[in-house]
Amino acid sequence: MNGNRAKRKKIKRHFRKLGISLLFQGGLLWAVVIAFMVVQIFPALFLTPDLTEQQMEKQFINPLQESGWPMILAVVIAFIPLLIYRKKLFWTHDLTTVGKRMNRRIVFIGFVFVLGLNMIFMLIMYPVEGLLHLFGYTAEPSEEILEGSKTISMFVYTCLIAPIFEEFIYRGAVLRSLERFGSFFAITGSALLFGMMHGNIIQLPVAFGTGIVLGYLAKTYSIWLTILIHSLNNLLSEAISAVHSEVLSAILNSGLLVAVFLVLGVFLYKNRNAIRSWLHAAWEKRPEKKLWLYFFTSIPIILLLLFNGVAILLGIEKL
């Protein structure tokens, strides 16, 4: 009895430390972004006090929102709590753990899987938007984040900095800290936190599904593979967003959809037995229900999910 109680306390302590680290990371990120904007805007208010609201928005607010520098600075600084949490393990384990050897075929298949999940979940959003309309709401504000970059700095952030640090956090620190509870729990738990982190009803299911695939790839191969695939995925999204012709964009998306599902169909059919065996083995090794109970009743984890949930709700407004 005492042994079980000590084990339960140890597990809860582990989840608590992880949740606190992620709370500090998120809070520090937005603190840096806000501080950056305040430093940029306040001098302008004193130097040009006669600016109208429209002029202020055009000259200062919009350029800051389109710039990637606030987020680049923020994600780098906000990573400090995770470094404190993982200490030397981040450098000696999270970044260096390597499983099977990766090759171009693995990169291609992994990329196609991520792309396919993106397309599937984006298609699902159409009936979700229709359901919201029935109740007089829309998720259109959430769709703005899917627009392409308008500045070089935002492009660099989207295609390089964000993939690197998101992988460092969720397939590095989070996944590796949870792997002591089994691969199933580590991959699913890190994917859930990754999805919720986006704070966006449109990106939530996409990021969760992508997190499952990237989590598996990180565990099976390495985090460097997932950084590469993550970057390629964002780069392709930027390329498609840069196409301003609706007709050409529709043709590209349709062609890509057919190609991706054709490749996935062939791959899944040829490897159906191996996939079935892997899924069976993974299900057999699923964590005990009480482990999820400990996770979802951890106060820092509850607060983290609550803050993310509020951000998701803020992306929904009345029609």
Side-chain angles (χ1 to χ4, degrees):
M1 182 67 73
N2 290 333
N4 289 335
R5 186 177 302 160
K7 183 180 178 181
R8 183 173 67 249
K9 286 184 177 180
K10 186 177 180 180
I11 293 172
K12 287 186 173 182
R13 191 184 308 117
H14 186 83
F15 291 153
R16 186 164 58 249
K17 288 181 178 179
L18 173 62
I20 290 172
S21 300
L22 290 173
L23 281 172
F24 271 102
Q25 184 269 336
L28 188 55
L29 185 144
W30 287 112
V32 172
V33 170
I34 293 170
F36 187 98
M37 292 188 171
V38 168
V39 169
Q40 295 292 315
I41 293 173
F42 264 65
L45 291 175
F46 287 107
L47 294 173
T48 52
D50 297 329
L51 282 178
T52 64
E53 184 177 338
Q54 290 76 15
Q55 290 174 323
M56 176 64 70
E57 186 173 340
K58 182 179 180 180
Q59 294 183 32
F60 297 100
I61 305 292
N62 289 343
L64 277 173
Q65 290 178 337
E66 294 170 2
S67 172
W69 286 113
M71 288 303 297
I72 290 173
L73 182 65
V75 295
V76 172
I77 294 176
F79 190 63
I80 294 174
L82 274 303
L83 285 177
I84 295 172
Y85 167 62
R86 292 298 285 168
K87 299 182 177 67
K88 290 182 179 180
L89 281 174
F90 177 74
W91 308 104
T92 60
H93 181 69
D94 302 353
L95 294 187
T96 59
T97 300
V98 177
K100 297 179 182 178
R101 185 178 179 181
M102 67 177 182
N103 52 44
R104 283 177 292 183
R105 178 177 176 273
I106 296 301
V107 174
F108 175 70
I109 294 298
F111 177 59
V112 170
F113 260 94
V114 168
L115 203 56
L117 283 171
N118 272 290
M119 292 179 170
I120 291 172
F121 284 115
M122 289 305 293
L123 290 174
I124 292 174
M125 279 312 301
Y126 289 107
V128 171
E129 179 69 12
L131 184 63
L132 288 172
H133 281 191
L134 291 177
F135 295 94
Y137 289 91
T138 179
E140 284 186 10
S142 298
E143 296 176 10
E144 295 177 3
I145 199 169
L146 301 179
E147 296 178 359
S149 301
K150 298 178 181 178
T151 61
I152 294 176
S153 60
M154 183 57 79
F155 178 82
V156 170
Y157 168 73
T158 302
C159 298
L160 183 63
I161 306 300
I164 289 174
F165 279 90
E166 286 180 7
E167 293 306 309
F168 278 0
I169 294 171
Y170 294 98
R171 257 64 66 183
V174 175
L175 181 104
R176 295 302 175 182
S177 71
L178 295 178
E179 66 183 355
R180 67 179 64 186
F181 306 113
S183 295
F184 188 102
F185 187 83
I187 293 172
T188 309
S190 61
L192 172 64
L193 294 175
F194 178 62
M196 291 297 292
M197 174 275 295
H198 285 79
N200 184 300
I201 193 172
I202 292 177
Q203 288 183 296
L204 169 58
V206 176
F208 175 72
T210 299
I212 294 289
V213 174
L214 293 177
Y216 168 77
L217 292 174
K219 282 284 296 177
T220 307
Y221 298 94
S222 81
I223 192 174
W224 302 106
L225 171 61
T226 63
I227 289 174
L228 176 58
I229 291 175
H230 197 153
S231 295
L232 289 173
N233 179 68
N234 288 11
L235 184 61
L236 181 62
S237 297
E238 286 286 330
I240 293 175
S241 298
V243 178
H244 299 297
S245 169
E246 292 187 8
V247 175
L248 183 56
S249 179
I251 293 173
L252 286 173
N253 278 306
S254 299
L256 198 58
L257 183 68
V258 172
V260 165
F261 281 98
L262 182 62
V263 171
L264 284 179
V266 172
F267 177 82
L268 292 173
Y269 178 76
K270 291 181 67 174
N271 297 275
R272 60 189 184 280
N273 292 329
I275 293 172
R276 191 182 298 114
S277 298
W278 181 85
L279 289 173
H280 178 74
W283 182 252
E284 288 296 317
K285 295 179 181 179
R286 67 189 184 279
E288 297 180 59
K289 292 181 180 179
K290 62 182 179 182
L291 190 61
W292 289 110
L293 179 64
Y294 298 157
F295 184 75
F296 286 115
T297 54
S298 170
I299 299 300
I301 296 295
I302 291 173
L303 289 175
L304 182 66
L305 296 177
L306 183 61
F307 291 146
N308 293 151
V310 169
I312 291 171
L313 291 176
L314 290 175
I316 301 173
E317 64 178 24
K318 280 187 171 293
L319 288 169

